[in-house]
Amino acid sequence: MTENVDTSPAKETSGNPRLALLLAMAMFVLVVDTSLMNVSISAVVHDLHTTVSSVQSAIALEALVSAAFILIGSKFGDLFGRKRAYVLGLLGYGIGAVAMTLAQDLAAIIVFWAIVGGIGASLLLPSMQSLIHGNFEGEAQRKVYAMVGAAAAVAAAVGPLLGGVITTYLSWRVGFLLEAVIIATVLSGMGLVRDVPYTGPRGIDPLGACLSVLGMGGVVLGILVWQEGGESVAALLALGVGALAALAYWLRRREREGRPVLLDPGLLRSKVFRLGVTGQMLQQIALGGMMIALPIYLQMVLEYNALEAGLSLAPLSLTTFGMALLAGKKAGGRSPSAIIRVGFALVSIGLIALIPIVPRADTGWYLLVPLALAGSGLGLLVSQLNNYTLSPISEERISEAAGMNSASGSFGLSFGLAFAGAIMLATLSIAFTNKAEASKVLAPAEQQRVADALEDDAEVMSNTQLEELAAEEPRNVREEVVRINTDARPLALQVALLVPLLAGLIGFGNSFRMVRARDPGPSAAADGIALG
């Protein structure tokens, strides 16, 4: 049966609406998965008796694994078949969704959702790009790219709301169960997929693959270990940075020798591509920083449930979706780099407006305008960055360039999640300790106990949770600890939001270099890279 499918003419699948729908469903699950996890943080923490920082670490780890292995995943599809990589990617994601449905502790989430699911994503994204390109032609191909890109945009827009409704009225486990059902449905249609053979060089670069994993993994893992109060943080960071430097040297050396490389360093010789990849990473750092700080703020400070948190985040996601559609239709002959510059400016302005609101807001309505501004900026970036980045790349190299583009974005997302979370907890620990030591209510012994507890496990807690933990303390001590928590948390969240703000400002500065570079025109080959 497989042979019949693989040898069928392209015309039979070039207009198959069921295959297009199944590809769009797969992309919808990929994007909505993280939204569901973000708005369910407090529910997951409660049900699994874990901590916010631990769940945040799992979210960052999933993005990290996807980034670290995406170049290897792309090469796996080239060597062993894009269809096989697509199936394995779906299975990895399905295992992660089932594990979330059944998980009784954090270890299951880390192993199956973050690691297995992350590897699944690294296989799925590059292979999906190639399969769309090989199973559809002409106008049908453009329509499928548009459908899959629209599925990603819709998932990003409605994900927080959908996840909030399911978590509040049913359970976060039901949301992941529905993901598993959708993945099973997509797998049932694999007979429609015609494999796309790879005609390039089939050599492998095992050392390059190892260095890419050690490089990206070492940097983000070092930050996660720092966040959790672990040791050897400097060694992990040094390992990551050293491995990335070694990878750059190794790729250039292999290229000079004419040997197979994990990634062609010649791609980075294009100034437009280099600037675009940098912009992609900065955009994702900004998004990752916001998507870890804001859900924690809403659920731990304002004590919102998942639905209320999803509604409060809706201005960010809905304006991103709306502005991306509007810019895609109305951009016309406008310079992509100029639109990118406005995008980074709006993201930065939204965050600048948001930071002073955090300690004063007692409802999510106060976030409406800043989030709408930041979301509009993200929408402009989504509409233009991929096309700008990939426009100078020839058709035969688009898959490899898309892999680097996706790896850069995934690394930026995981870095933003991890670094903003780590900075938030470090600031919380310092602020809480300083305020406890300055307290005239807490005795010296109690101040020391607070400092020792934070040194072991700094944690963002709601006042309700803190009151329950301090229930056996005298009333004046309990009230003082709650007061200190009320003062320290907003400061920690403000500092965490400086991470996406800094990324937005650097991106704004980088956009001026984009304007000075050759401004690319529309690229048909880049149409489908909204997948990443």
Side-chain angles (χ1 to χ4, degrees):
M1 178 178 176
T2 304
E3 291 181 359
N4 291 336
V5 173
D6 288 345
T7 57
S8 62
K11 292 181 180 179
E12 292 186 15
T13 58
S14 63
N16 192 313
R18 186 185 169 200
L19 176 57
L21 178 62
L22 292 174
L23 289 165
M25 288 169 64
M27 179 51 61
F28 183 88
V29 167
L30 277 173
V31 177
V32 85
D33 182 74
T34 302
S35 295
L36 177 58
M37 193 65 162
N38 281 328
V39 298
S40 304
I41 286 177
S42 60
V44 174
V45 167
H46 178 270
D47 290 353
L48 299 186
H49 307 290
T50 185
T51 64
V52 172
S53 63
S54 297
V55 176
Q56 180 264 324
S57 294
I59 295 172
L61 182 62
E62 194 270 348
L64 163 65
V65 171
S66 174
F69 286 93
I70 198 165
L71 296 177
I72 299 173
S74 178
K75 183 60 68 173
F76 179 93
D78 292 343
L79 297 178
F80 301 103
R82 275 73 178 265
K83 181 176 179 179
R84 181 172 294 160
Y86 182 65
V87 171
L88 290 175
L90 285 170
L91 289 174
Y93 235 72
I95 289 170
V98 172
M100 289 297 293
T101 305
L102 303 175
Q104 299 301 312
D105 55 39
L106 186 67
I109 293 179
I110 290 175
V111 172
F112 295 107
W113 183 77
I115 296 178
V116 176
I119 292 174
S122 72
L123 289 166
L124 191 55
L125 284 169
S127 59
M128 185 182 292
Q129 171 74 27
S130 298
L131 289 175
I132 293 175
H133 196 75
N135 280 265
F136 298 88
E137 296 177 343
E139 184 63 25
Q141 185 184 95
R142 286 189 288 273
K143 287 181 178 179
V144 176
Y145 274 142
M147 180 184 293
V148 175
V154 169
V158 306
L161 292 173
L162 184 62
V165 169
I166 292 173
T167 300
T168 301
Y169 294 108
L170 296 171
S171 167
W172 56 273
R173 297 182 187 275
V174 174
F176 287 102
L177 177 61
L178 291 175
E179 285 188 17
V181 171
I182 293 174
I183 291 170
T185 303
V186 175
L187 284 169
S188 71
M190 289 310 299
L192 299 172
V193 180
R194 178 171 59 90
D195 205 357
V196 181
Y198 174 66
T199 57
R202 304 192 65 83
I204 60 174
D205 180 11
L207 181 57
C210 291
L211 289 173
S212 71
V213 173
L214 287 174
M216 289 186 281
V219 171
V220 178
L221 189 60
I223 296 171
L224 292 177
V225 170
W226 171 44
Q227 172 186 302
E228 294 297 322
E231 299 178 353
S232 304
V233 173
L236 284 170
L237 292 174
L239 174 66
V241 173
L244 287 175
L247 176 63
Y249 167 78
W250 178 252
L251 292 178
R252 289 195 298 268
R253 175 181 168 181
R254 297 271 291 190
E255 182 191 35
R256 286 195 302 268
E257 295 173 352
R259 300 167 68 189
V261 291
L262 175 71
L263 184 71
D264 183 2
L267 290 171
L268 293 174
R269 296 194 185 103
S270 165
K271 185 177 181 181
V272 170
F273 181 76
R274 191 168 62 249
L275 291 171
V277 166
T278 302
Q280 187 76 255
M281 182 175 65
L282 291 168
Q283 176 210 1
Q284 291 298 317
I285 290 174
L287 178 61
M290 283 190 283
M291 292 313 294
I292 197 60
L294 292 174
I296 290 175
Y297 169 73
L298 293 166
Q299 295 173 73
M300 296 294 122
V301 177
L302 301 185
E303 300 195 37
Y304 277 5
N305 62 29
L307 176 57
E308 292 168 327
L311 287 169
S312 298
L313 291 171
L316 179 70
S317 56
L318 292 176
T319 52
T320 299
F321 174 57
M323 188 58 73
L325 289 181
L326 183 64
K329 292 179 180 179
K330 302 293 185 180
R334 293 179 177 85
S335 163
S337 54
I339 296 175
I340 290 169
R341 181 168 56 186
V342 174
F344 275 117
L346 286 175
V347 169
S348 301
I349 292 169
L351 285 164
I352 290 171
L354 183 64
I355 288 173
I357 291 175
V358 165
R360 297 171 176 82
D362 56 6
T363 172
W365 285 107
Y366 286 95
L367 311 183
L368 176 61
V369 173
L371 291 185
L373 285 171
S376 297
L378 288 172
L380 292 176
L381 295 176
V382 166
S383 73
Q384 302 297 319
L385 262 176
N386 287 318
N387 181 69
Y388 178 93
T389 304
L390 297 168
S391 60
I393 307 301
S394 61
E395 185 76 20
E396 62 268 17
R397 303 180 72 191
I398 196 71
S399 180
E400 184 178 18
M404 181 185 285
N405 192 40
S406 295
S408 175
S410 296
F411 175 74
L413 181 64
S414 62
F415 182 87
L417 288 165
F419 195 54
I423 289 290
M424 178 174 60
L425 292 178
T427 305
L428 180 68
S429 176
I430 294 169
F432 210 116
T433 300
N434 290 340
K435 290 177 183 295
E437 290 176 349
S439 172
K440 293 180 171 53
V441 176
L442 300 179
E446 291 164 338
Q447 295 174 2
Q448 187 60 46
R449 191 164 67 247
V450 168
D452 292 342
L454 284 170
E455 185 177 354
D456 293 334
D457 185 21
E459 181 56 45
V460 179
M461 287 188 185
S462 68
N463 284 341
T464 302
Q465 291 173 317
L466 195 57
E467 286 175 346
E468 292 174 356
L469 285 176
E472 297 180 1
E473 299 290 340
R475 181 177 178 180
N476 65 329
V477 172
R478 186 168 64 248
E479 290 177 349
E480 179 69 358
V481 171
V482 169
R483 183 194 67 79
I484 292 172
N485 189 49
T486 302
D487 292 341
R489 287 176 316 182
L491 176 62
L493 289 160
Q494 284 177 305
V495 173
L497 287 171
L498 292 177
V499 173
L501 174 58
L502 184 60
L505 292 173
I506 295 173
F508 181 66
N510 187 61
S511 67
F512 284 89
R513 299 176 63 200
M514 290 181 172
V515 171
R516 289 194 296 269
R518 180 184 64 84
D519 214 6
S523 169
D527 286 347
I529 312 302
L531 306 185

